DNA sequence: GAGTTTGAAACT
DNA sequence: CAGTTTCAAACTC
């Protein structure tokens, strides 16, 4: 009897009964015991609630095992514990409710006991005593707590910071972490949170977090970015398409995602969010299997980066009739939620309308799986880009579908190729192409020179306009930004699941993010190469064939090949490899 | 800031 | 698939 219940002893109730008989003291305790039992119950509830709702087996075990539980739990349960911890750490943010919960849940194990012990002092004292013993017995708690703190943080609203720290640790780019962290966190937390209390509350938290996160980042330093799009995330092929690029240059991007978060506070990246949420689920699942969890993180990171960068350029849309639910909307197209800076009217691209956004997105993807995929594909060179010029970019990158310019001569941003800072290619159906980054003819990139020359010859406007176009800037970052978006939506895990679809984009994005953020440049380069290969493969593959077959069709285009974007592809092929390689996750694990 | 131009996206 | 319309960004004034 007794022996078996050692674990129970911790729980207290059963033991108490047994012992009660033995000594008056126990009797006394017994009187108390009820309370304790209650606690235990409460704990159980909390745990159950926390872990379960969606919880993967992992969670279940942990919480059950619980208390001692172990790291595992802390990690896995990060949600719960994290929240608790966070709350404790950051009582401010979390509403009292949470605290209560925390008390209940946490009480047993640690802190609560000590400090909180609000409940019955006597009981608590006893409990504390017991706890003390327990602690002595299982110092793990503290350690766990401390250890888990990171994770906990993760889950909590504050997560962003903690998360960031992690990320930073794990990865290098701080910005990413900061910005990205949110999205990633949000998703994660959300997934977890729901367990704890109300899904809604969770969502709100998520939102808050994102907002906070965003703020945090800002505060931190990073830049005021819009940070907002991480949101993946966030976050969607990210979307990025040309815009993404813009993002890069401007802010957008993922930022977009990030933005989202900021936006209304609601959250962020629409798609990303959705995707994130989904992905979170899927991830968890997948993660369980593969340990993809990382992916999300990476995505988040990516997003964050983008967001961070994007921030500088926070993208904003000005939609009036599309409700920001069509690809006309840059934010939506980028897979991010609209945020405050947007001047849109009747905007539905907000976390509040997540369902609508997702549904719309699906609809669009059903029509064109690549709708949210990056528009620009880059070669290995793409990484190079550095700004200097576009000259390089153009060569390596190409617009999937190609442009259809007739009057702009591909010398203005009306041209997606030009806007993205890439040269026109065979896929383009443009007329009078003078793309400075590379003409459809083949006159290569470098446009500047050639173009200027030509322009000089043809028209005077050229020079200034061409160079100006941020095209250069765009291209550089674009990849990141873009990828993130789509990726946001689609987590790697999802990617794997989703396959090539739009998801692929996401995947790619996410991938990118990971790549970008986590991976060193060298890796990126390699990836880029891989991408190129993948792209080729893609082209050969049925899907790609589509593009090849119908270059004209806008949507047909391949799944993003962009260096940044392209990643996704490879992911398809080599995704796992990348993922596995991706450090992002690892960083998280360390926490364990 | 308002109006125009442009080409992608969406629709038929 | 092609043509047309709608839309919002890019651009101009």
């Amino acid at each position: 009897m007794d022996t078996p219940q050692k674990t129970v002893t911790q729980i207290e109730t059963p033991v108490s009964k047994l012992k009660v008989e033995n000594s008056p003291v126990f009797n006394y305790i017994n009187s108390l015991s009820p309370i304790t039992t209650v606690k235990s119950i409460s704990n159980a509830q909390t745990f159950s609630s926390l872990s379960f709702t969606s919880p993967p087996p992992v969670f279940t075990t942990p919480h059950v095992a619980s208390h001692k539980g172990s790291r595992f739990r802390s990690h896995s349960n990060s949600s719960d514990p994290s929240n608790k911890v966070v709350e404790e750490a950051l009582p401010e943010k979390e509403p009292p409710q949470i605290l209560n919960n925390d008390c209940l849940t946490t009480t047993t194990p640690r802190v609560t006991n000590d400090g909180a012990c609000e409940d019955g002092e006597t009981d608590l004292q006893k409990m504390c005593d017991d706890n003390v013993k327990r602690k002595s017995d299982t110092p793990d708690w503290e350690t766990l707590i401390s250890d888990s703190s990171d994770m906990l943080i993760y889950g909590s609203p504050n997560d962003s910071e903690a998360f960031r720290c992690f990320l930073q640790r794990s990865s290098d780019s701080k910005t990413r972490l900061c910005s990205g962290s949110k999205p990633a966190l949000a998703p994660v937390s959300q997934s977890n949170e729901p367990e704890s209390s109300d899904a809604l509350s969770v969502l709100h938290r998520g939102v808050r977090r994102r907002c906070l996160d965003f703020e945090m980042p800002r505060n931190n330093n990073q830049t005021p970015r819009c940070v907002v799009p991480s949101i993946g995330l966030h976050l969607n092929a990210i979307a990025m398409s040309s815009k993404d690029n813009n993002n890069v240059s401007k802010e957008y991007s993922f930022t977009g995602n990030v933005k989202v978060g900021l936006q209304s506070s609601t959250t962020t990246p629409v798609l990303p969010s959705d995707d994130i949420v989904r992905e979170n689920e899927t991830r968890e699942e997948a993660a369980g299997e593969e340990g993809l969890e990382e992916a999300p993180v990476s995505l988040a990171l990516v997003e964050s980066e983008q967001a961070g960068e994007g921030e500088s350029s926070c993208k904003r849309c000005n939609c009036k009739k599309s409700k920001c639910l069509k690809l006309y909307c840059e934010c939506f197209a980028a897979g991010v939620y609209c945020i405050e800076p947007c001047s849109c009217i009747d905007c539905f691209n907000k976390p509040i309308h997540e369902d609508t956004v997702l549904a719309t997105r699906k609809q669009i993807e059903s029509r064109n799986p690549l709708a949210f995929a990056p528009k620009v594909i880059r070669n290995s060179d793409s990484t190079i880009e550095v700004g200097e010029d576009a000259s390089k970019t153009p060569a390596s990158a190409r617009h999937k579908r190609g442009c259809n310019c007739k009057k702009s001569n591909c010398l203005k941003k009306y041209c997606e190729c030009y806007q993205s800072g890439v040269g026109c290619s065979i896929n383009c159906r443009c007329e009078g192409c003078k793309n400075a980054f590379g003409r459809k003819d083949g006159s290569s990139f470098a446009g500047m020179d050639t173009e200027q020359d030509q322009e000089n010859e043809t028209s005077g406007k050229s020079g200034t306009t061409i160079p100006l176009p941020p095209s250069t800037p765009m291209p550089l970052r674009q990849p990141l930004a873009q990828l993130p978006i789509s990726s946001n939506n689609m987590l790697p895990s999802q990617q794997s699941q989703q396959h090539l679809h739009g998801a692929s984009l996401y995947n790619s994005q996410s991938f990118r993010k990971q790549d970008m953020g986590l991976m060193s440049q060298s890796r990126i380069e390699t990836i880029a190469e891989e991408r190129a290969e993948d792209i080729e493969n893609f082209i050969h593959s049925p899907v790609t064939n589509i593009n090849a077959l119908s270059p004209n069709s806008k949507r047909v285009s391949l799944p993003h090949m962009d260096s940044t974007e392209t990643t996704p592809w490879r992911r398809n092929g080599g995704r796992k490899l990348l993922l596995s390689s991706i450090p992002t996750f690892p960083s998280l694990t360390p926490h364990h």
Side-chain angles (χ1 to χ4, degrees):
Chain A
M1 297 291 289
D2 295 349
T3 55
Q5 295 176 340
K6 290 178 181 179
T7 57
V8 172
T9 57
Q10 291 175 344
I11 294 167
E12 297 174 2
T13 55
V15 173
S16 64
K17 291 178 180 178
L18 296 175
K19 292 179 180 179
V20 171
E21 293 176 353
N22 296 339
S23 67
V25 173
F26 287 97
N27 292 337
Y28 173 79
I29 292 168
N30 288 341
S31 62
L32 297 176
S33 67
I35 293 167
T36 57
T37 55
V38 171
K39 289 178 182 179
S40 64
I41 293 167
S42 64
N43 292 342
Q45 292 175 344
T46 57
F47 286 94
S48 63
S49 64
L50 293 176
S51 44
F52 328 93
T53 45
S54 50
V58 173
F59 288 94
T60 58
T61 44
H63 68 63
V64 173
S66 80
H67 308 293
K68 289 181 174 180
S70 62
R71 309 173 177 179
F72 195 3
R73 170 173 55 125
S74 64
H75 295 298
S76 64
N77 290 349
S78 64
S79 65
D80 297 349
S82 63
N83 293 342
K84 296 174 181 179
V85 172
V86 172
E87 290 175 352
E88 292 174 355
L90 302 177
E92 296 174 353
K93 294 178 180 179
E94 291 299 325
Q97 293 175 346
I98 293 167
L99 293 176
N100 293 342
N101 293 340
D102 292 350
C103 293
L104 294 175
T105 59
T106 57
T107 52
T108 28
R110 7 165 151 164
V111 176
T112 55
N113 307 344
D114 303 349
C117 294
E118 296 172 353
D119 301 348
E121 291 178 354
T122 58
D123 292 348
L124 295 175
Q125 289 175 346
K126 292 178 179 178
M127 295 298 292
C128 293
D129 294 347
D130 292 346
N131 292 339
V132 173
K133 291 177 181 178
R134 293 176 185 174
K135 289 179 181 178
S136 63
D137 292 348
T138 61
D140 295 349
W141 288 102
E142 292 177 352
T143 57
L144 292 174
I145 294 166
S146 63
D147 293 348
S148 64
S149 64
D150 292 348
M151 297 186 67
L152 294 177
I153 292 166
Y154 200 78
S156 67
N158 291 343
D159 322 354
S160 59
E161 290 178 354
F163 192 58
R164 284 186 224 156
C165 296
F166 277 117
L167 294 179
Q168 289 177 347
R169 292 177 185 174
S170 64
S171 65
D172 296 346
S173 64
K174 294 176 182 178
T175 56
R176 295 177 183 175
L177 296 177
C178 296
S179 63
S181 64
K182 292 179 180 180
L185 293 176
V188 171
S189 63
Q190 289 177 344
S191 63
N192 295 343
E193 290 177 353
E195 299 171 354
S196 64
S197 62
D198 296 348
L200 296 177
S201 64
V202 171
L203 294 176
H204 292 295
R205 289 181 183 176
V207 172
R208 291 178 183 176
R209 291 178 184 173
R210 291 178 185 173
C211 295
L212 294 174
D213 291 350
F214 290 111
E215 290 175 356
M216 297 296 293
R218 292 178 186 174
N219 293 343
N220 289 348
N221 56 354
Q222 294 195 349
T223 54
R225 336 170 160 181
C226 292
V227 174
V228 210
S230 112
I231 238 195
L233 242 239
H234 273 303
L235 356 192
N236 322 296
I238 313 191
M240 311 251 329
S241 37
S242 58
K243 293 177 181 179
D244 294 348
N245 297 338
N246 294 342
N247 296 346
V248 174
S249 61
K250 295 176 180 180
E251 301 174 351
Y252 222 177
S253 53
F254 242 61
T255 1
N257 296 340
V258 174
K259 291 184 209 170
V260 174
L262 297 179
Q263 230 182 351
S264 48
S265 72
T266 51
T267 50
T268 4
V270 174
L271 297 179
S273 65
D274 295 347
D275 293 348
I276 292 167
V277 173
R278 296 176 184 175
E279 288 181 352
N280 289 346
E281 293 176 354
T282 55
R283 292 176 190 171
E284 289 176 356
E285 293 175 355
E289 293 174 354
E290 296 177 353
L292 294 181
E293 290 175 352
E294 294 173 352
V297 172
S298 64
L299 292 176
L301 292 176
V302 172
E303 291 176 354
S304 64
E305 288 177 354
Q306 291 176 342
E309 290 176 355
E311 150 185 48
S312 57
S313 63
C314 285
K315 227 159 198 206
R316 337 174 155 163
C317 67
N318 191 29
C319 305
K320 295 177 181 177
K321 295 181 180 180
S322 66
K323 295 181 179 179
C324 298
L325 291 177
K326 293 187 178 182
L327 293 175
Y328 293 127
C329 175
E330 290 188 1
C331 297
F332 180 78
V336 300
Y337 288 110
C338 291
I339 49 175
E340 292 178 357
C342 294
S343 301
C344 46
I345 298 172
D346 294 337
C347 179
F348 278 76
N349 186 24
K350 295 182 179 179
I352 296 171
H353 301 290
E354 183 177 2
D355 294 344
T356 302
V357 173
L358 293 176
T360 302
R361 195 174 204 192
K362 286 182 179 179
Q363 210 172 3
I364 293 171
E365 287 182 342
S366 64
R367 225 190 285 154
N368 174 17
L370 298 178
F372 294 92
K375 295 178 181 177
V376 176
I377 297 167
R378 294 187 181 180
N379 295 337
S380 61
D381 294 350
S382 63
T383 56
I384 297 167
E385 321 180 17
V386 183
E388 276 180 26
D389 307 326
S391 59
K392 293 179 180 178
T393 4
S396 59
R398 288 290 170 82
H399 194 280
K400 292 179 186 175
R401 126 173 74 118
C403 66
N404 192 28
C405 304
K406 294 179 179 177
K407 294 181 179 179
S408 67
N409 294 331
C410 302
L411 292 175
K412 293 185 179 181
K413 281 190 168 182
Y414 295 126
C415 174
E416 289 190 355
C417 294
Y418 180 79
Q419 188 175 38
S420 299
V422 301
C424 290
S425 64
I426 297 169
N427 292 333
C428 297
R429 289 160 284 151
C430 51
E431 296 177 359
C433 178
K434 294 178 182 178
N435 189 334
F437 296 101
R439 297 179 187 174
K440 176 167 73 171
D441 310 359
S443 36
S444 54
F445 26 56
M448 305 300 289
D449 298 348
T450 57
E451 261 197 354
Q452 288 177 344
D453 293 347
Q454 291 177 345
E455 289 178 353
N456 292 340
E457 292 176 354
T458 59
S459 66
K461 34 177 163 174
S462 61
T464 57
T465 57
I466 297 170
L468 295 180
S471 54
T472 5
M474 306 267 309
L476 297 177
R477 295 176 184 177
Q478 288 177 342
L480 296 177
Q482 291 176 341
L483 293 177
I485 295 168
S486 57
S487 61
N488 291 347
N489 296 345
M490 317 294 290
L491 295 179
S493 64
Q494 288 180 341
Q495 291 176 345
S496 62
Q497 292 176 342
Q498 291 179 343
H499 304 296
L500 297 181
H501 294 312
S504 65
L505 295 179
Y506 299 116
N507 293 343
S508 63
Q509 291 175 343
S510 61
F511 227 2
R512 264 193 213 163
K513 292 177 180 178
Q514 293 173 345
D515 295 350
M516 299 302 293
L518 298 179
M519 305 176 96
S520 62
Q521 291 178 342
S522 63
R523 174 169 295 190
I524 293 168
E525 290 177 355
T526 56
I527 292 168
E529 291 176 356
E530 292 176 355
R531 293 175 186 170
E533 293 176 355
D534 292 346
I535 293 167
E536 291 177 355
N537 293 339
F538 245 75
I539 293 167
H540 294 294
S541 68
V543 174
T544 53
N545 290 345
I546 295 168
N547 293 341
L549 294 176
S550 60
N552 293 343
S553 64
K554 296 174 182 179
R555 300 170 184 177
V556 176
S557 63
L558 299 177
H560 356 344
M561 312 292 296
D562 293 293
S563 59
T564 53
E565 296 171 351
T566 53
T567 38
W569 299 94
R570 24 167 74 284
R571 294 164 194 162
N572 294 343
R575 287 180 189 167
K576 292 179 178 179
L577 295 176
L578 294 177
L579 292 174
S580 63
S581 65
I582 296 165
T584 51
F585 237 38
S587 63
L588 295 178
T589 52
H591 298 295
H592 297 287

